[in-house]
Amino acid sequence: MSRVITIGAAQLGPIQKAESRAQVVARMLVLMHQAKAKGCGLIVFPELALTTFFPRWYSEDQDEIDAWFEETLPGPETEPLFAAARELGMAFHLGYAEKIVEEGTLRRFNTAVLVDAGGEIVAKYRKVHLPGHDEYDPERAHQHLEKRYFEVGNLGFPVWRALGGIVGMCICNDRRWPETYRVMGLQGVELVLLGYNTPTVNSQSDEAPHLRAFHNLLSMQAGAYQNSTWVVGVAKAGDEDGHELMGGSAIIAPSGEIVAQCRTLGDELAVADCDLEATRFGKETIFDFARHRRIEHYGLITERTGAEPPP
Ligand code: CDV
């Protein structure tokens, strides 16, 4: 029996610093209606989807910084997304900057939520691997101040029973780390949703853009294959106020193959029918963790070489 969910990877083109949330949400609603016309039951939006990629801008003014954050979700500007989910019967994944008081402490996270077709938030993830730096760095071609503006996520890498399967989330830089997928893989994940904002150029070297595009896909395809899970990676792409972000949003099968991909650097939908049953072959054969993982033997390498285990 198949468990097919039609998924739309909703790449967003650039969002300029001066653009309002209302303008962005209007673009997202267009993509939601396109997705509905193509039979999607889930649409996936990028990391920090509601605004420009603000961590490239250095600021010491907390009010200015807080203007990029959502204090409530849904809020007045994001409610139309939730209404569209209900109207269209379509779940969505959304990345946003979260400002929240938790146990009396004000906190800020780089967050993603999964909203079901009834417009309810059913899952929340907070980014763990925050790249960049926390002070202005004059040596860099551009700033990347995620460590300044966000705390490390405090929710781990859980999975949820949702959309008829087992769903996990991560955000951008998380996708480069094998443990991101493995922690979810060990919980049986069948569908990993993630958004990214990745500059085409490296701020600290002349790394070739084609290599950066290769590493983007390499990470996601390896994570999919080695854990026999679908991975949907969605970019915010194009030129934001002179800073170019890569595209390449992709839907990746549990085999590691790309089954749908965006071709432009603008608002674009890539759609695929994703059968969650297709995760079973890898999970029951070569990546049957219970039968084939040999954790007790991994330490022997340390014994043989005499190397000290890492702290
Ligand atoms: N938003 C990100 O996490 N971007 C990083 C860049 C800075 C390398 C990424 O891993 O794509």
Side-chain angles (χ1 to χ4, degrees):
M1 199 187 72
S2 66
R3 284 184 288 140
V4 176
I5 173 163
T6 303
I7 301 179
Q11 180 172 285
L12 287 174
I15 301 172
Q16 309 309 327
K17 208 176 174 187
E19 273 180 73
S20 69
R21 281 178 183 68
Q23 287 172 293
V24 178
V25 167
R27 286 164 52 183
M28 294 167 84
L29 292 173
V30 170
L31 287 162
M32 287 180 87
H33 281 90
Q34 285 176 10
K36 181 65 186 176
K38 295 192 171 177
C40 292
L42 168 68
I43 186 166
V44 183
F45 291 113
E47 173 191 35
L48 300 176
L50 299 167
T51 66
T52 197
F53 187 69
F54 68 88
R56 74 168 65 88
W57 302 111
Y58 177 79
S59 176
E60 295 176 2
D61 177 346
Q62 195 58 57
D63 289 341
E64 185 183 38
I65 297 162
D66 279 345
W68 303 114
F69 283 74
E70 312 303 312
E71 291 188 32
T72 54
L73 196 75
E77 287 142 318
T78 49
E79 173 53 33
L81 298 172
F82 290 73
R86 286 189 292 273
E87 177 200 330
L88 303 174
M90 189 191 307
F92 70 91
H93 163 102
L94 173 73
Y96 69 106
E98 178 187 23
K99 181 179 167 192
I100 189 167
V101 176
E102 268 185 353
E103 291 166 10
T105 304
L106 181 58
R107 316 189 75 168
R108 296 173 184 82
F109 297 101
N110 187 341
T111 297
V113 287
L114 178 64
V115 178
D116 71 11
E120 297 296 322
I121 295 174
V122 292
K124 179 184 277 191
Y125 167 74
R126 291 171 174 158
K127 187 174 182 177
V128 169
H129 300 98
L130 296 175
H133 48 111
D134 60 5
E135 288 298 338
Y136 186 81
D137 182 353
E139 302 295 320
R140 290 181 185 246
H142 57 260
Q143 303 297 298
H144 195 106
L145 292 152
E146 287 195 59
K147 288 192 196 302
R148 181 179 185 84
Y149 299 142
F150 302 116
E151 283 184 58
V152 173
N154 60 355
L155 301 176
F157 288 101
V159 299
W160 296 267
R161 290 201 174 272
L163 308 170
I166 302 177
V167 182
M169 297 188 278
C170 65
I171 300 178
C172 197
N173 192 265
D174 289 322
R175 76 195 187 287
R176 302 183 190 274
W177 299 86
E179 46 271 57
T180 295
Y181 305 93
R182 187 59 103 212
V183 170
M184 291 190 273
L186 289 169
Q187 300 170 83
V189 77
E190 297 175 324
L191 174 61
V192 175
L193 310 175
L194 71 98
Y196 59 92
N197 282 260
T198 301
T200 311
V201 295
N202 188 315
S203 66
Q204 294 172 293
S205 83
D206 58 1
E207 187 181 31
H210 78 267
L211 196 55
R212 291 172 67 74
F214 168 65
H215 290 155
N216 172 42
L217 294 175
L218 177 69
S219 315
M220 296 193 294
Q221 291 182 257
Y225 168 63
Q226 293 174 339
N227 296 281
S228 198
T229 179
W230 290 91
V231 173
V232 181
V234 181
K236 177 130 66 58
D239 186 327
E240 292 192 338
D241 296 295
H243 300 273
E244 186 156 311
L245 298 168
M246 71 169 66
S249 305
I251 301 178
I252 299 159
S255 61
E257 294 166 290
I258 295 170
V259 295
Q261 190 168 23
C262 291
R263 301 282 163 211
T264 71
L265 294 178
D267 293 2
E268 185 184 344
L269 196 68
V271 176
D273 293 331
C274 303
D275 184 357
L276 301 182
E277 281 295 299
T279 61
R280 290 175 68 107
F281 175 69
K283 288 185 192 301
E284 291 173 1
T285 58
I286 197 161
F287 295 118
D288 181 337
F289 294 158
R291 286 177 62 215
H292 304 311
R293 281 178 93 232
R294 287 288 171 266
I295 301 167
E296 67 279 15
H297 286 258
Y298 298 159
L300 296 179
I301 297 161
T302 310
E303 272 173 37
R304 217 172 35 241
T305 61
E308 285 294 311

